[in-house]
Amino acid sequence: MHQKNQIPDPPPATADGGGGDGNGAELDNVVKMVSENPVMVIGTRGCCMCHVVQKLLQGLGVNPPVYEVDEVDEAAVAAELSRKVVGGGGDDGGRVQFPAVFVGGKLFGGLERLMATHISGELVPILKDAGALWL
Amino acid sequence: MSVYDPIHQISMWGEGFKSNGNLSASVPLIDEPDMKLDSQSEDASHGILGEPNKYDQEANKPTDKIQRRLAQNREAARKSRLRKKAYVQQLESSRLKLMQLEQELERARQQGMYIGGGLDSNHLGFAGSVNSGITTFETEYGHWVNEQNRQITELRSALNAHIGDMELRILVDGMMSHYAEIFRMKSAAAKADVFYVMSGMWKTTAERFFLWIGGFRPSELLKVLGPLIEPLTEQQRLDIYTLGQSCQQAEDALSQGMDKLRQLLADSVAAGQFMEGTYIPQMTSAMENLEALVSFVNQADHLRQGTLQQMSRILTIRQAARCLLALGEYFQRLRALSSLWSNRPREPA
């Protein structure tokens, strides 16, 4: 199980979710990617916060795939993820907000949680446990 | 006419003090040419009352009418002099009061107190209406600074008095809550005017020099505070160093996101248009970008708050108290720096 390893600096590994009308195949693809990658970022296309999430993780030596969702598909993708990935015990009360970080196939949180756990020193061990980082 | 009627008196004396002395025109009651009201007014009383001979010589047969008029003139002149004296005294005391007020203001500024309503209190929205969210923030910020200064003084005394850990914890918690308060206020203000918050408009110019996304840069602050809270254990020093590194990484990520947003915002303003026949601009996408800017302010503040909280976890209660005291005093000095600079003695131009 390997994430797509690319050169740390641009361009990042992006998976293009554009053009889809939230059809079944696209959504299945997203869910599949989440479960297959130790770390994954899903965000709205052009969102600057998503950019921040990506840069932060890259700065730590993690190069997660970033799945960009068109604004029109946002609600559909969020709903699908809430159902299939988060289940009933989601951290954010079930509703997925973008940008969203998935670690070890589970919803980890948004930028705020990412930064808070990094400051408290908890993030790196979590990433290592998930196999996203090696010593 | 009362003594305290300076406007009226100014016009009277203004004319009387003209050096070309058209006294007969401007002060009609006086027809004796040598009864001038200007610089000689101090001696005028001597001039009038001390030379009775003059009148005896001039008027061989003074009529009652003329006598009465002369007496009235003398009386008017005397009253005028008294009024002038009172007015000058009033000016002098006002001047003294003004000097005292200026000194008080200076002292207060140097202690970092918040004075007045901000620099250019131009909180006019596009339609010229006042931004109440910002005026509210400014008022509350004034109170916040005053409370901050009070807490700093209290903390200083407490540490000097070597009070126990339990009491110290109460003070530390109080200060942490107070910081939480300013972040809440900023969040509300950002919704009212995000550029205002991003530019740190409520801060002194010295604070704004160090501005990063509407506030202080946590990693910079850690570098400044570190030496001030020694002695530390090795583990603590390591933890603080790690914290600084994490802050730096988070800051870099936020800065990069900000660069991207800045570009997007500039592009969307460039792409905007004016509504047909009006000067009202259409900038929907620019407005959406401003929503993102509010998020950046909030995330930066979360980082600041998280840093403070992590510090309080790393340090003992006494160290945390010293740290908060150092932090508070640092900002007090920084706030004072602006006015110290602008009030420094300078060579006249």
Side-chain angles (χ1 to χ4, degrees):
Chain A
M1 179 188 62
H2 248 319
Q3 60 189 352
K4 293 179 218 162
N5 272 322
Q6 307 230 340
I7 321 155
D9 266 289
T14 53
D16 199 344
D21 302 302
N23 66 58
E26 295 283 344
L27 292 175
D28 285 342
N29 190 27
V30 173
V31 174
K32 189 155 165 271
M33 284 177 75
V34 165
S35 61
E36 283 181 350
N37 288 285
V39 180
M40 175 136 186
V41 178
I42 302 180
T44 317
R45 190 179 305 283
C47 171
C48 296
M49 279 303 168
C50 188
H51 193 70
V52 176
V53 168
Q54 188 178 35
K55 289 298 167 193
L56 181 54
L57 288 168
Q58 283 175 350
L60 300 180
V62 181
N63 198 15
V66 178
Y67 189 91
E68 289 183 312
V69 178
D70 278 328
E71 236 175 291
V72 288
D73 301 327
E74 218 180 291
V77 176
E80 182 74 5
L81 287 166
S82 302
R83 248 198 350 262
K84 294 266 180 66
V85 179
V86 180
D91 276 325
D92 303 338
R95 174 79 173 89
V96 175
Q97 287 182 320
F98 298 132
V101 181
F102 294 85
V103 178
K106 291 195 297 245
L107 177 66
F108 181 77
L111 177 62
E112 196 172 321
R113 177 136 199 260
L114 201 68
M115 286 204 308
T117 49
H118 185 44
I119 292 301
S120 66
E122 298 164 300
L123 182 61
V124 168
I126 290 173
L127 291 174
K128 284 182 180 165
D129 280 346
L133 269 181
W134 297 268
L135 271 165
Chain B
M1 185 197 310
S2 78
V3 189
Y4 304 100
D5 194 3
I7 308 280
H8 195 113
Q9 289 165 352
I10 286 173
S11 54
M12 243 192 76
W13 286 318
E15 290 165 333
F17 294 166
K18 277 186 189 133
S19 47
N20 56 8
N22 293 339
L23 289 177
S24 52
S26 53
V27 190
L29 288 181
I30 315 284
D31 37 40
E32 297 287 345
D34 48 359
M35 279 171 63
K36 292 189 192 319
L37 285 183
D38 52 4
S39 48
Q40 298 167 20
S41 59
E42 297 302 317
D43 303 317
S45 49
H46 306 306
I48 294 167
L49 301 175
E51 296 175 27
N53 334 332
K54 220 181 196 176
Y55 301 157
D56 290 353
Q57 290 171 9
E58 281 198 20
N60 278 328
K61 39 178 177 85
T63 62
D64 281 313
K65 209 173 168 188
I66 294 175
Q67 279 282 23
R68 204 170 44 235
R69 184 121 66 94
L70 290 175
Q72 282 169 352
N73 287 352
R74 283 195 294 275
E75 194 48 41
R78 193 178 68 85
K79 284 193 183 136
S80 186
R81 279 190 302 277
L82 285 173
R83 280 196 304 273
K84 184 200 171 192
K85 198 170 171 196
Y87 175 55
V88 168
Q89 276 171 353
Q90 195 199 353
L91 277 181
E92 290 288 336
S93 65
S94 294
R95 189 166 154 270
L96 259 160
K97 185 131 201 280
L98 183 63
M99 270 166 47
Q100 280 170 356
L101 280 174
E102 279 180 349
Q103 279 173 4
E104 257 185 61
L105 202 60
E106 195 45 57
R107 242 176 284 133
R109 274 214 185 94
Q110 287 187 3
Q111 287 168 26
M113 271 180 73
Y114 176 77
I115 308 287
L119 273 194
D120 41 348
S121 304
N122 183 17
H123 308 136
L124 301 181
F126 185 80
S129 58
V130 174
N131 192 329
S132 65
I134 296 303
T135 41
T136 303
F137 175 79
E138 293 217 325
T139 314
E140 287 177 355
Y141 180 70
H143 299 319
W144 187 90
V145 172
N146 294 338
E147 173 61 17
Q148 177 78 345
N149 290 333
R150 190 198 66 76
Q151 287 191 2
I152 289 169
T153 309
E154 193 176 19
L155 194 55
R156 197 184 297 126
S157 321
L159 282 170
N160 287 339
H162 304 290
I163 69 168
D165 280 5
M166 295 288 279
E167 294 102 319
L168 210 50
R169 175 167 291 284
I170 294 170
L171 291 180
V172 167
D173 287 347
M175 220 173 214
M176 294 292 282
S177 305
H178 198 56
Y179 277 113
E181 188 56 39
I182 187 72
F183 294 131
R184 263 198 298 277
M185 284 160 55
K186 280 171 72 182
S187 183
K191 293 198 188 85
D193 184 347
V194 69
F195 288 123
Y196 177 93
V197 176
M198 281 295 302
S199 314
M201 292 306 297
W202 70 98
K203 294 174 180 279
T204 59
T205 46
E207 286 170 286
R208 271 185 254 161
F209 175 73
F210 291 99
L211 207 68
W212 175 77
I213 310 188
F216 65 83
R217 194 186 270 264
S219 61
E220 263 179 19
L221 208 61
L222 285 176
K223 283 187 208 132
V224 165
L225 291 178
L228 299 177
I229 47 179
E230 291 282 352
L232 296 164
T233 66
E234 263 316 301
Q235 184 61 47
Q236 285 178 325
R237 250 179 247 127
L238 182 63
D239 287 342
I240 292 175
Y241 173 78
T242 309
L243 177 58
Q245 292 293 97
S246 306
C247 283
Q248 190 71 63
Q249 287 160 336
E251 287 162 21
D252 288 345
L254 280 170
S255 293
Q256 289 181 69
M258 272 296 294
D259 288 342
K260 185 169 175 196
L261 183 59
R262 209 173 274 123
Q263 189 61 56
L264 283 180
L265 190 55
D267 290 345
S268 57
V269 173
Q273 294 165 324
F274 283 106
M275 256 167 60
E276 191 76 35
T278 74
Y279 63 95
I280 301 169
Q282 293 274 65
M283 292 193 286
T284 321
S285 56
M287 298 285 274
E288 282 165 9
N289 288 328
L290 292 189
E291 295 285 344
L293 199 53
V294 173
S295 304
F296 271 93
V297 170
N298 289 334
Q299 292 301 333
D301 279 348
H302 283 128
L303 184 62
R304 291 173 187 118
Q305 186 147 27
T307 306
L308 288 174
Q309 284 164 350
Q310 181 66 3
M311 277 298 272
S312 70
R313 275 180 227 126
I314 293 171
L315 302 173
T316 65
I317 192 65
R318 201 155 289 269
Q319 287 168 328
R322 286 211 313 273
C323 180
L324 286 173
L325 180 61
L327 178 64
E329 288 179 334
Y330 176 80
F331 280 115
Q332 277 179 331
R333 286 192 292 270
L334 190 57
R335 280 195 282 273
L337 193 58
S338 301
S339 54
L340 282 175
W341 173 256
S342 56
N343 288 311
R344 73 193 187 284
R346 268 173 283 189
E347 295 296 312

